Amino acid sequence: MADSTGQEPTEPGHTGAVAADPYDRIAWRDLYARSAALRELAAELAARHAHTTDLLADAFLAAYLAAPRVREAAEMAPSRRFNREVVAELAASPGFAALRRETAGDPYAAALAVLAEAPALRLLLDRTEPVREAADRAAEARRSAGRPARTAGETARQAGATAGALGAGATSADGAAGPASAPAAPAGQAASRAEAAARQALEAATPGIRAAARTATAQAVRVTREEAALMRAWGVGHGELERMPYEERARLAERLRTGRLARWAELIGRFRQMADGERARKVENATGELIGVTPGDDLSRVLPSELAHLGLPELRAVFAARYAAGELMLYDSRGEQTTGQGAVIACVDTSHSMYEEGPGGITREAWSKACALALLDQARHARRDFVGILFSAADKLQVFRFPAGRPAPVERVLEFAETFLGGGTSYQRPLSAAAALLAEEFDTAARGRGDIVLITDDECGVTEQWTREWQEARHRLGFRLFGLAVGASTATASGSVLEALCDNLRPIEDLTDVRAAADLFRLI
């Protein structure tokens, strides 16, 4: 029955278990409108169970808000107390703090957590349908109990108005109110009994809800961590992700999960971590050949004769004074000079043999592409241009340019990593293309001393004429050629073509070991 306003009376209390301001709820509605996966999940659950869209919103807000607060049970509408219990158990789960480290303030990650929790929530809802039915009966009983009281009040008001108009006094009003108010007491008792039954059913279901919440949280932690690690492995920073529109981020995540090199994301991540560590160790003019003695205050290079003064109490003050003045005698050394300033160019072999797997099931292609992506990071860290050249046979070549002064689009990086040409192997064309790019840079920007890294698993010949031209270009431009022979020991043998061409050549046999190329990131 509708009330005097024409609206069906609603149950008292909140329908949302997580306290949130309107702006936070807008974030949920906006994401819900843009996420087909969330809408499909909500439609599936709503077809079988009541109030599930509210439950999904609460799960989202619990993961998304900076400091989520779950309302007390007494604050909730009876029909939503089950939702409140589920969200409270999610928030109390042992892994919830770890989940929020990935999702707080990030609506996409919070939505991903909700989708990851869906299997456990779906199973829980199926098993606890009687609990929610009891809650709905309690809510309906409370609404029904309110209807007679409202009807009695309206009748009394109308009767009082009539009596006033007729001058009949209060008797008519009392007479009208009495019969109408009689059903209120039995209806209220029925509502109390229904609410007590709903509370008992919810209490009995609490252990099952707690177990399901823990399972859901653990699954959400695993999924959100995996996606975060996947993004980091491909060099997609958190700030870049936050600026990325939802649809674009969802497409990117799907591509990373299903692309050709998706199974090697962990290898790519380890390569990039290793390179980052090597950069941290890299210093200009590092200790190398000793060339003499010089005054200074670097205690790591103090001569033993100076340190001997510390053994004599009467000379310690003299040592301290000379240290303060920077006059201690130190070893002087000559280290490696500043590295190349021109572009970093990775020439990656994509012939058919690069499909071959090595230890750990890692393909030669995967190792090579992971190394090339770490070189891309290296170049950008040093504010140098990066060029990726994919090659195979003489007629197959593809060039990817990443200028230092511009962002490296993720889509372009993925295209470089996933492209595979197939065919045979030819050194001449990719190395000529690399030399031409360095010559262009030298002529237009006066930048020399670039670095070329040739990653291949094959040995092939070069012509005498080409070799002369190559040596002339190297002499004029001052670049270096580093060679990585992946799973091809013969390519590094004495007298091989690679040995003749490269300034620095090494074999790569264990494809699980990213540190096999560690010193490369100190030299480039």
Side-chain angles (χ1 to χ4, degrees):
M1 177 184 293
D3 61 19
S4 60
T5 65
Q7 301 294 322
E8 185 69 20
T10 58
E11 56 183 321
H14 293 281
T15 57
V18 177
D21 63 37
Y23 294 103
D24 294 323
R25 295 201 175 272
I26 287 173
W28 158 252
R29 289 194 294 269
D30 181 59
L31 194 72
Y32 183 83
R34 290 185 285 127
S35 172
L38 278 178
R39 294 195 303 274
E40 289 169 6
L41 174 62
E44 175 204 340
L45 296 180
R48 301 161 60 189
H49 310 290
H51 318 306
T52 49
T53 303
D54 287 338
L55 175 60
L56 296 181
D58 285 330
F60 170 85
L61 292 168
Y64 172 68
L65 294 182
R69 181 181 74 83
V70 179
R71 289 190 168 99
E72 297 298 327
E75 299 178 70
M76 298 299 300
S79 63
R80 306 306 199 281
R81 285 176 186 164
F82 175 86
N83 289 0
R84 184 263 171 201
E85 193 69 19
V86 172
V87 176
E89 293 297 343
L90 285 173
S93 296
F96 191 69
L99 174 64
R100 286 182 34 73
R101 282 195 288 272
E102 303 292 343
T103 61
D106 186 342
Y108 175 89
L112 183 66
V114 173
L115 293 171
E117 291 165 352
L121 294 179
R122 186 183 292 113
L123 184 61
L124 174 65
L125 290 169
D126 288 341
R127 290 177 174 175
T128 56
E129 181 65 26
V131 179
R132 281 169 294 103
E133 287 177 348
D136 286 339
R137 285 195 295 271
E140 178 57 32
R142 179 55 61 194
R143 284 193 292 268
S144 298
R147 290 185 188 118
R150 279 188 293 273
T151 301
E154 178 64 17
T155 303
R157 186 188 65 78
Q158 292 175 355
T162 302
L166 299 176
T171 306
S172 299
D174 292 342
S181 60
Q189 293 169 1
S192 298
R193 287 194 297 271
E195 288 177 357
R199 281 195 299 271
Q200 290 177 348
L202 185 57
E203 288 171 4
T206 296
I209 295 173
R210 182 174 300 121
R214 292 185 176 188
T215 300
T217 301
Q219 178 69 359
V221 170
R222 184 186 67 80
V223 169
T224 53
R225 279 181 173 172
E226 283 180 356
E227 180 151 317
L230 190 64
M231 294 295 182
R232 286 193 298 270
W234 285 96
V236 186
H238 185 71
E240 185 178 357
L241 287 175
E242 286 188 335
R243 293 189 299 271
M244 197 176 291
Y246 177 86
E247 296 84 353
E248 182 180 344
R249 186 168 171 181
R251 287 194 300 270
L252 173 62
E254 180 64 18
R255 183 173 179 182
L256 293 182
R257 282 193 295 267
T258 60
R260 288 189 60 251
L261 296 180
R263 60 186 289 218
W264 307 124
E266 189 269 340
L267 172 69
I268 294 167
R270 284 196 293 121
F271 238 112
R272 282 180 141 149
Q273 270 191 324
M274 177 273 294
D276 188 58
E278 294 304 314
R279 278 194 296 275
R281 295 174 55 192
K282 181 178 177 179
V283 294
E284 298 293 344
N285 300 315
T287 301
E289 178 187 0
L290 295 177
I291 60 173
V293 177
T294 185
D297 60 359
D298 185 351
L299 296 179
S300 68
R301 296 191 287 131
V302 174
L303 268 61
S305 58
E306 292 277 29
L307 291 174
H309 293 163
L310 293 174
L312 301 173
E314 60 272 21
L315 293 180
R316 289 174 184 169
V318 176
F319 181 93
R322 295 182 65 198
Y323 171 68
E327 295 177 352
L328 295 174
M329 299 309 295
L330 314 176
Y331 286 118
D332 194 11
S333 63
R334 179 170 55 210
E336 296 178 9
Q337 298 303 308
T338 305
T339 57
Q341 298 299 309
V344 176
I345 302 179
C347 298
V348 182
D349 188 349
T350 59
S351 59
H352 282 310
S353 57
M354 294 291 282
Y355 275 131
E356 187 172 327
E357 292 184 358
I362 298 173
T363 65
R364 296 173 179 179
E365 180 203 8
W367 193 96
S368 302
K369 296 287 182 63
C371 183
L373 291 173
L375 287 170
L376 168 60
D377 289 348
Q378 186 86 350
R380 299 195 73 76
H381 185 270
R383 297 181 177 84
R384 299 167 65 183
D385 290 352
F386 176 81
V387 182
I389 298 179
L390 304 180
F391 71 94
S392 56
D395 61 339
K396 293 186 177 181
L397 189 84
Q398 195 160 345
V399 178
F400 296 82
R401 303 184 72 160
F402 298 91
R406 305 176 198 166
V410 178
E411 294 291 328
R412 187 67 172 163
V413 173
L414 286 173
E415 186 182 355
F416 165 63
E418 294 178 344
T419 298
F420 193 88
L421 303 178
T425 305
S426 170
Y427 294 163
Q428 289 188 187
R429 189 171 177 206
L431 291 178
S432 293
L437 288 167
L438 292 176
E440 176 188 341
E441 184 180 41
F442 182 79
D443 293 338
T444 59
R447 288 199 299 268
R449 293 186 296 122
D451 291 308
I452 303 172
V453 181
L454 177 65
I455 310 175
T456 183
D457 71 339
D458 204 355
E459 170 82 353
C460 67
V462 293
T463 66
E464 185 177 342
Q465 176 64 27
W466 181 88
T467 303
R468 282 198 299 270
E469 293 172 354
W470 171 259
Q471 296 297 349
E472 290 171 2
R474 181 153 63 175
H475 178 73
R476 183 172 82 91
L477 303 173
F479 61 76
R480 298 177 296 180
L481 176 61
F482 297 84
L484 299 175
V486 184
S489 56
T490 58
T492 60
S494 178
S496 68
V497 173
L498 279 181
E499 185 190 46
L501 291 176
C502 295
D503 300 287
N504 185 302
L505 175 64
R506 74 207 66 196
I508 306 296
E509 297 297 338
D510 184 0
L511 301 186
T512 64
D513 182 15
V514 300
R515 298 204 61 80
D519 63 326
L520 192 67
F521 296 92
R522 294 196 299 273
L523 295 172
I524 291 179

